[in-house]
Amino acid sequence: MSAPEVVMVITNLPDRATAERIADTLVTDGVAACVNVLAECTSVYRWQGKLERASEVPMLIKTTRENYPKLEDVLRKLHPYEVPEIIALPVSAGWPDYLNWVVQETQTRKQT
């Protein structure tokens, strides 16, 4: 049996307080080992036919592919956007000790 695959999930939130609240929940619930709440950025996108510009707070969320469905479910419930960006990228390489830690943190905590 192979080791669980680590993935990094990217999302953006409208403000830091919301990002930190969601990050706390993801880690406390054990669906993420670590969440980086990054500095505010400007996003430019088209929404409902109009060019939009918004300040957003990006988040980098580390979990396993096995936990991704649970993480997505929690994130969708807590995310304030109608259609939130939720993108999972495979981690193709990394320091084994760190990757093992991600796996351990998402397997040993009680998940709701």
Side-chain angles (χ1 to χ4, degrees), residues 15-100:
D15 58 76
R16 186 163 205 83
T18 303
E20 289 180 1
R21 179 178 51 80
I22 290 173
D24 288 350
T25 300
L26 294 173
V27 173
T28 299
D29 286 358
V31 295
C34 175
V35 179
N36 301 111
V37 178
L38 304 179
E40 184 178 295
C41 69
T42 300
S43 295
V44 179
Y45 56 94
R46 185 173 303 281
W47 179 248
Q48 298 179 342
K50 287 179 35 185
L51 186 63
E52 300 283 345
R53 185 177 305 269
S55 293
E56 294 185 301
V57 176
M59 290 176 32
L60 304 178
I61 306 162
K62 276 69 80 176
T63 192
T64 60
R65 181 171 297 282
E66 177 183 41
N67 279 320
Y68 175 80
K70 296 175 205 163
L71 185 143
E72 182 184 277
D73 186 54
V74 172
L75 195 51
R76 288 180 64 204
K77 287 176 183 172
L78 298 176
H79 207 295
Y81 291 171
E82 181 181 342
V83 181
E85 172 188 19
I86 304 173
I87 299 172
L89 304 172
V91 174
S92 62
W95 188 41
D97 290 352
Y98 179 80
L99 300 178
N100 289 334

